[in-house]
Amino acid sequence: MALRIGVPAETAVGERRVALVPEVVRRLVQQGMEVWVAKGAGTGAYFPDAAYADVGARMVSQEEAWGTDVVVHVQPPSEEEIALMRSGSVLIGFLSPLDQPEVADRLARQGVVALAMELVPRISRAQKMDALSAMAAVAGYKAVLIAANLLPKFFPLLTTAAGTVRPASVLVLGAGVAGLQAIATARRLGARVSAYDIRDVVKEEVQSLGATFVELPFEVPDAQDVSGYAKALAEEKQRQQAQLLVPHIGRADVVISTAQVPGRRAPVLITEEAVAAMQPGSVIIDLAAPNGGNCVLTQPGETVIHNGVQIVGPLNLPAEMPVHASQMYARTLLAMIQEFATPEGFKPNFEDEIFRGVCLTYNGEVVNERVRALLAA
């Protein structure tokens, strides 16, 4: 019997992405695998059932999709969804292992082999599986569009019969994938852009996009870990950093904040003093809102107005661009499936660095050490 891959519909509030798109389903079917897609799974991302059927997918119920050999998903599954999975089956998707370790525990008790896309190691061979970076690029782009829509000013320099309009000033905090995409998008819209990151190694990337790199007069040893992520600063250094950022934030019309540390609360970069320094009508888009926010006034999922400054705390921007977000995510899942599965079955390989990195649960146990420690605590 050929390996069956299931694509259930997403049930999380506001989630419009789908794990596999028709173009990826076609490739899996051509490789001899069966793909069972829950009816309506692609509707939110504008992929109708007919598009899946046309490329060889079998349209099934939600329960049947969860009961396949390998289930691919976007959001962490609910208790009810986990209960639909067979012992020995495989789940691949975003599983929030460091924020919701209880999900890993439930998956282990169900006997599911779980692979968390957040845990893909940052090595060259795994780049095609880097779903986090793919979604961060979507979020960085969308954040700038939201800011441009909310800002009561033009982004670009305009010379008109009524005089010259100065370009908006955009400050991006954090120059990871989301930050770099935000810089590029703001520049394309004509804004004057500056960016700050505690990692000096990203200075050249920021400048290559036409932005000014903000350098603060304080030292940060070992600002980057072995995976390329920013390290958390000591509390006193965090306070010093936030204080030094106040004048830069005060001069900005728009601040896009993206700074996050995996498994930790987002660092506070924008204090109430910094918000007070901004002009009324200014905008802050806080992409770190799901992890508490880079701004002390951020309310996750809400828009707060403080002294005329709008502070937006989006929770899931990729879901607001479901077509391309789904296409990009599906390609990372395809790469993962092709690495460890054949038409005959799924092949776990703990000698492989990528598999060891992403494997969350196996043989009834949570095998990721950090998640085990969180559950023990």
Side-chain angles (χ1 to χ4, degrees), residues 38-123:
K39 295 170 185 174
T43 303
Y46 303 100
F47 297 108
D49 288 351
Y52 288 101
D54 288 346
V55 296
R58 177 175 173 179
M59 306 311 297
V60 298
S61 68
Q62 186 81 333
E63 291 75 15
E64 288 173 307
W66 279 107
T68 51
D69 304 313
V70 176
V71 178
V72 288
H73 211 234
V74 179
Q75 294 284 353
S78 66
E79 286 189 62
E80 293 76 17
E81 289 167 336
I82 292 172
L84 296 173
M85 298 191 71
R86 294 185 294 103
S87 177
S89 62
V90 179
L91 173 64
I92 310 175
F94 286 130
L95 302 177
S96 297
L98 301 179
D99 298 318
Q100 301 179 53
E102 67 278 2
V103 173
D105 186 53
R106 294 186 193 116
L107 288 165
R109 292 173 185 273
Q110 190 71 9
V112 173
V113 178
L115 307 186
M117 295 300 285
E118 297 96 330
L119 301 179
V120 170
R122 288 199 161 179
I123 58 175

Side-chain angles (χ1 to χ4, degrees), residues 2-3 5 23-35 55 333-345:
L3 181 74
I5 299 172
E23 69 169 273
V24 169
V25 171
R26 177 190 284 112
R27 294 179 64 178
L28 291 170
V29 171
Q30 289 173 344
Q31 291 169 23
M33 304 178 194
E34 293 183 18
V35 182
V55 296
L333 289 175
L334 173 66
M336 183 70 71
I337 293 168
Q338 289 177 328
E339 193 74 26
F340 301 111
T342 68
E344 290 73 42

Side-chain angles (χ1 to χ4, degrees), residues 109-159:
R109 292 173 185 273
Q110 190 71 9
V112 173
V113 178
L115 307 186
M117 295 300 285
E118 297 96 330
L119 301 179
V120 170
R122 288 199 161 179
I123 58 175
S124 57
R125 189 166 67 87
Q127 284 182 344
K128 59 188 176 181
M129 307 172 200
D130 190 354
L132 270 185
S133 290
M135 296 303 99
V138 178
Y141 171 80
K142 185 66 174 178
V144 174
L145 299 188
I146 293 171
N149 186 54
L150 292 176
L151 187 70
K153 300 179 179 181
F154 286 114
F155 258 45
L157 169 72
L158 290 179
T159 301

